[in-house]
């Protein structure tokens, strides 16, 4: 076992603190990654604060990870020492069920192994990327193209794939009108990716405070959902709506913006239930759907797409001792648009 420096949550209510955690020995198909940067995702906050269920503490979170392979197992063939790599939201799956065999490991019928707060193959609880090193089976490690700025690459492993996957699945592209609800860490990536796919993109945000940014990222239109006229003006307009907000919204109002056969996809994950009236779906034969992350194949596809189109998240680099402050700023929407931890500051 290797002991490495990390930041961890001692409980659901205490601030994160510096600590050490253990990483397993490198197996034949494993790689040891020296982490360079780790993104701060809203999911991290939900998890450590027990909002998605009880956890085992202390817990180190972080599932937006980029770094360099420092050691490769004897049977590893996909990645070698010195490679620039990334790790996203999962580090294993059963690999035998029908979904895994289709390359959709994120929907493993036996449950994928999350990068943190999940039961690993040895029975231990996985610990995430707020640390200096991580050991991962190489089949769940991505290649990070050199053209993507290193410090900005980490959020692609969650925010990037979480928005790319539904945009790809529901065929966002030329001739499609796509609305993005929310302009945070997920939302700004959805705007950039949908625009690069060729869709006509509209941002639906609480206010117009980020309108200039939205237009810069590729949105052609920007509306405030706090203005009731927005819902009257845009009724029956969109082919696809991506809801990135991790809080309650008026689903019926937003669903009314879909045109014939339109789909609204939830990628934000609020802790509370979201009620809706089915009659809203009957009208215009609308659909309401959810989407998780992508499989390894699709995540690599997303990274290559972003490299080809010059897409990278907007990030604010922080030191490890600013993590707790960053959490509070995420909760108050005071970040444009993703915090990234420089793990060199862990010591």
């Amino acid at each position: 076992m290797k002991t490495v420096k990390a930041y961890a949550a001692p409980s659901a209510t205490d601030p994160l603190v510096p600590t050490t955690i253990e990483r397993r020995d490198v197996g034949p198909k494993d790689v040891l990654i020296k982490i360079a940067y780790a993104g701060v995702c809203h999911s991290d906050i939900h998890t450590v604060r027990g909002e998605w269920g009880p956890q085992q503490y202390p817990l180190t979170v972080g599932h937006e990870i980029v770094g360099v392979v420092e050691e490769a197992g004897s049977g590893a063939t996909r990645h070698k020492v010195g490679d620039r790599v990334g790790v996203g939201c999962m580090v294993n799956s059963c690999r035998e069920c029908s979904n895994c065999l289709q390359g959709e490991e994120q929907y493993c019928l036996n449950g994928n192994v999350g990068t943190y707060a999940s039961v690993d193959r040895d029975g231990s609880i996985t610990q995430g990327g707020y640390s200096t090193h991580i050991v991962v089976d190489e089949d769940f490690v991505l290649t990070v193209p050199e053209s993507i700025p290193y410090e900005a690459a980490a959020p692609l492993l969650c925010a990037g794939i979480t928005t790319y996957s539904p945009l790809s699945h529901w065929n966002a592209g030329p001739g499609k009108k796509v609305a993005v609800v929310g302009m945070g860490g997920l939302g700004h990536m959805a705007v950039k990716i949908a625009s690069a796919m060729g869709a006509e993109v509209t941002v639906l945000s609480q206010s117009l405070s980020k309108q200039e940014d939205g237009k810069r990222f590729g949105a052609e239109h920007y509306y405030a959902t706090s203005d009731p006229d927005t819902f009257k003006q845009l009724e029956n307009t969109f082919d696809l709506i991506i809801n990135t907000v991790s809080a309650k919204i008026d689903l019926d109002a937003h669903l009314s913006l879909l045109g014939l056969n339109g789909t609204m996809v939830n990628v934000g994950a609020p802790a509370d239930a979201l009620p809706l009236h089915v009659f809203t779906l009957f009208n215009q034969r609308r659909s309401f759907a959810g989407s998780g992350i992508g499989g390894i194949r699709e995540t690599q596809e997303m990274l290559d797409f972003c490299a080809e189109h010059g897409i990278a998240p907007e990030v604010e680099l922080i030191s490890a001792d600013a993590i707790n402050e960053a959490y509070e700023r995420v909760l108050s929407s005071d970040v444009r648009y993703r915090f990234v931890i420089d793990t060199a500051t862990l010591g």
Side-chain angles (χ1 to χ4, degrees):
M1 302 289 283
K2 180 182 179 68
T3 300
V4 304
K5 293 182 178 180
Y7 254 67
S11 74
T13 55
D14 290 317
L16 277 67
V17 295
T19 187
T20 58
I21 59 176
E22 291 186 334
R23 298 299 191 187
R24 68 172 183 264
D25 292 333
V26 176
K29 287 279 290 175
D30 288 337
V31 292
L32 170 66
I33 301 169
K34 182 178 181 181
I35 300 172
Y37 299 102
V40 174
C41 178
H42 204 149
S43 300
D44 302 344
I45 303 172
H46 283 305
T47 301
V48 299
R49 298 190 174 181
E51 294 169 355
W52 287 347
Q55 304 297 330
Q56 291 190 34
Y57 299 95
L59 178 62
T60 295
V61 293
H63 56 204
E64 299 179 340
I65 301 166
V66 295
V68 176
V69 175
E70 200 168 73
E71 180 183 346
S74 59
T77 57
R78 295 181 59 174
H79 306 286
K80 65 183 186 301
V81 173
D83 282 356
R84 192 165 86 154
V85 295
V87 177
C89 301
M90 59 182 171
V91 291
N92 215 334
S93 71
C94 80
R95 314 187 196 203
E96 297 176 349
C97 70
S98 58
N99 289 352
C100 284
L101 294 176
Q102 292 180 70
E104 303 280 7
E105 304 94 342
Q106 75 277 29
Y107 302 125
C108 175
L109 294 173
N110 295 300
N112 68 62
V113 178
T115 305
Y116 60 72
S118 193
V119 180
D120 208 348
R121 62 194 188 196
D122 60 1
S124 64
I125 302 300
T126 54
Q127 305 293 329
Y130 295 6
S131 58
T132 59
H133 295 77
I134 191 169
V135 177
V136 181
D137 185 300
E138 72 159 356
D139 290 341
F140 286 78
V141 176
L142 291 307
T143 298
V144 178
E146 293 288 339
S147 61
I148 300 175
Y150 206 11
E151 69 280 2
L156 292 174
L157 279 305
C158 177
I161 186 58
T162 298
T163 51
Y164 178 90
S165 186
L167 288 167
S168 175
H169 180 78
W170 276 276
N171 300 310
K176 293 292 184 71
K177 293 183 177 181
V178 175
V180 176
V181 182
M183 258 281 289
L186 288 172
H188 91 288
M189 288 307 307
V191 171
K192 289 188 175 191
I193 292 170
S195 176
M197 288 178 169
E200 179 182 332
V201 182
T202 298
V203 174
L204 302 173
S205 186
Q206 283 188 314
S207 73
L208 300 179
S209 63
K210 299 177 182 177
Q211 182 172 9
E212 186 177 329
D213 283 352
K215 297 290 185 71
R216 179 164 56 89
F217 299 154
E220 295 184 42
H221 315 286
Y222 202 109
Y223 292 87
T225 55
S226 57
D227 182 354
D229 287 340
T230 291
F231 293 95
K232 296 176 184 177
Q233 185 176 351
L234 298 178
E235 188 175 15
N236 304 322
T237 294
F238 300 107
D239 300 295
L240 178 64
I241 299 174
I242 305 294
N243 176 27
T244 71
V245 177
S246 290
K248 276 190 172 183
I249 65 168
D250 185 338
L251 283 185
D252 291 298
H254 286 78
L255 285 164
S256 73
L257 305 182
L258 292 169
L260 183 63
N261 297 322
T263 301
M264 178 171 172
V265 185
N266 231 70
V267 296
D272 298 319
L274 296 174
L276 64 86
H277 294 90
V278 294
F279 288 99
T280 310
L281 300 177
F282 294 165
N283 191 15
Q284 302 299 319
R285 199 163 55 204
R286 300 174 176 125
S287 298
F288 180 55
S291 179
I293 56 170
I296 296 301
R297 180 186 60 216
E298 188 176 41
T299 305
Q300 189 63 60
E301 177 185 296
M302 175 275 304
L303 287 168
D304 295 339
F305 177 89
C306 288
E308 178 184 353
H309 292 273
I311 296 172
E314 308 291 313
V315 303
E316 181 176 333
L317 201 60
I318 62 171
S319 59
D321 61 7
I323 292 173
N324 292 300
E325 178 189 353
Y327 274 22
E328 297 308 316
R329 288 181 58 191
V330 168
L331 295 173
S332 61
S333 300
D334 180 25
V335 54
R336 294 195 179 185
Y337 283 86
R338 204 68 157 186
F339 286 117
V340 173
I341 303 162
D342 180 353
T343 58
T345 61
L346 286 165

